Amino acid sequence: MEKRYSARALRRLAVALCLLWLPLPATVHAAGAEFSLKDYCPAGFQLNGEGCYLQSLYASYDSLQDSGVGGLKTGLPELRQGFSPRQIDLGRLLFFDPVLSGDHSMSCASCHDPNKGFSDGRALSVGSKGQLAKRSAPSLWNVGFLKRLFWDARASSLEEQMLGPLYDSHEMANTPEQLLTDLRASSAYRELFAQAFNGDSSIQLDQVYTAIAAFESSLISLNSRYDLYAHGYHEALNEAEIEGMNIFRSFVARCAECHTPPLFSHQQIAVIGTPEPNNRPLDPGVAAVTGDASQRGGFKVPSLRNIALTAPYMHSGRFATLREAAEFYTGGRGHAVPPGEKLSLHWHIWEPKLTGEELDRLVDFMGALTDESFMPQIPASVPSGLAPVVGVQ
């Protein structure tokens, strides 16, 4: 028999959940001050031995295989976790430090701005010399759950992924040699790496990658109003949002079949036939990596967590609003495929013929996936002595 809770008990549950997710107070380092890494885990994580592990009600739910597509009480995929508090905090400082770029003008946070859902608010990202990247910057919220990285899924780990932007001449334009030289020139960084890696102050590339991966894996967003609803507090969503959720999960719209809760992505490749902006040629997507012609125009299905914060949308930033992006899916199978292209469109892309009101409700529901309660602290200063960089300068 299903267990039912009173309204008062559900309210108490919601309050308890909010308290669980509140970030712990953090010390702000003034410019010029000595740096010392935190010895406690980020909010929502618990120290177990020497590693930090996520505490989430989703851990008590069954896997997707057991509960079906779109189920509210569905378990999460495996998270990259077990990093030490000091490794996570070192990664946080590195993430905002422009010393990681070749000309010291960009940080990871240039394209993954916490104030813009850890994306950059641009259709196409901009590199250190003002060059346009080929695609938009995806959000980093919940990136530690992902098994494939980049729009074309060419990386299988966070460490492998970061080699792209760090050393690409169109992005941060650094080299491994210069990166190590600059970090090793900082006595503050040598001390911090020793704190994070068992007294080893030599600073090695794999340590740099581990620290950044540790920080990125701590960027968890699982306390939206949708999550409160899923955990049993049904007053967390209003009528319009519940209606949108039901459309989202329906066999007509079929959104949940690719954007599967609770991550809101099934992490697979889909060819959906979105048009390129400004008459640009079709981006071959995954096919350029695999050589598989059936994957031409295919891209990794992104998570919808915090999607309301990360406009514009699609790999090329083609749609300025969520409403436009949702409307694309009801325009008819293949309606935007360029002449002469014969794409192997994903079988979920069909003709749902949603009304304008139904599209509005979908947008309402996607707005209920917003949660920034685990927002990390942006450092006031960084160990290189350079000014921290956040957003496109």
Side-chain angles (χ1 to χ4, degrees), residues 104-360:
H104 298 173
S105 67
M106 294 184 68
S107 71
C108 302
S110 294
C111 295
H112 300 287
D113 183 349
N115 301 308
K116 295 178 180 178
F118 279 96
S119 61
D120 61 6
R122 303 176 64 93
L124 302 176
S125 297
V126 176
S128 62
K129 303 297 184 183
Q131 316 97 314
L132 284 180
K134 295 180 180 178
R135 297 168 185 148
S136 64
S139 171
L140 295 184
W141 283 115
N142 293 332
V143 71
F145 291 108
L146 301 182
K147 308 307 177 190
R148 301 177 179 184
L149 290 306
F150 291 115
W151 280 103
D152 57 15
R154 67 184 183 272
S156 59
S157 71
L158 288 170
E159 291 86 346
E160 182 184 358
Q161 180 277 329
M162 67 185 70
L163 302 181
L166 281 173
Y167 306 130
D168 191 311
S169 61
H170 288 82
E171 297 188 54
M172 299 177 79
N174 210 339
T175 65
E177 296 76 18
Q178 182 180 335
L179 176 58
L180 286 179
T181 296
D182 289 343
L183 289 175
R184 289 169 177 171
S186 165
S187 59
Y189 267 127
R190 293 197 302 273
E191 170 59 29
L192 294 180
F193 272 82
Q195 291 181 30
F197 293 101
N198 301 315
D200 182 3
S201 62
S202 64
I203 307 183
Q204 302 299 321
L205 287 174
D206 63 333
Q207 295 172 336
V208 176
Y209 306 151
T210 294
I212 297 174
F215 170 68
E216 291 178 338
S217 295
S218 75
L219 302 176
I220 302 297
S221 180
L222 294 172
N223 194 41
S224 67
R225 288 186 298 108
Y226 161 81
D227 296 297
L228 295 180
Y229 182 94
H231 294 322
Y233 182 53
H234 287 190
E235 295 177 16
L237 297 183
N238 61 38
E239 291 184 8
E241 291 161 344
I242 293 174
E243 182 180 349
M245 180 185 68
N246 290 334
I247 296 169
F248 185 91
R249 298 172 62 193
S250 72
F251 187 71
V252 175
R254 307 172 84 161
C255 308
E257 294 183 16
C258 290
H259 296 287
T260 309
L263 191 61
F264 285 88
S265 169
H266 64 3
Q267 303 199 57
Q268 297 178 25
I269 304 303
V271 181
I272 62 174
T274 53
E276 298 290 340
N278 304 320
N279 297 316
R280 294 176 60 201
L282 181 77
D283 187 329
V286 177
V289 177
T290 65
D292 184 346
S294 71
Q295 295 180 320
R296 181 170 175 78
F299 297 94
K300 180 171 64 70
V301 173
S303 171
L304 298 184
R305 292 282 181 170
N306 286 320
I307 192 68
L309 307 177
T310 60
Y313 302 104
M314 304 298 180
H315 67 277
S316 61
R318 175 64 176 81
F319 300 120
T321 67
L322 270 178
R323 181 60 159 71
E324 291 179 19
E327 189 172 14
F328 163 79
Y329 289 96
T330 200
R333 182 176 176 85
H335 72 279
V337 174
E341 291 282 356
K342 294 183 179 180
L343 303 183
S344 300
L345 295 176
H346 195 284
W347 67 279
H348 288 168
I349 304 300
W350 65 317
E351 298 183 12
K353 298 180 180 179
L354 300 179
T355 67
E357 183 176 353
E358 287 172 325
L359 292 172
D360 290 339

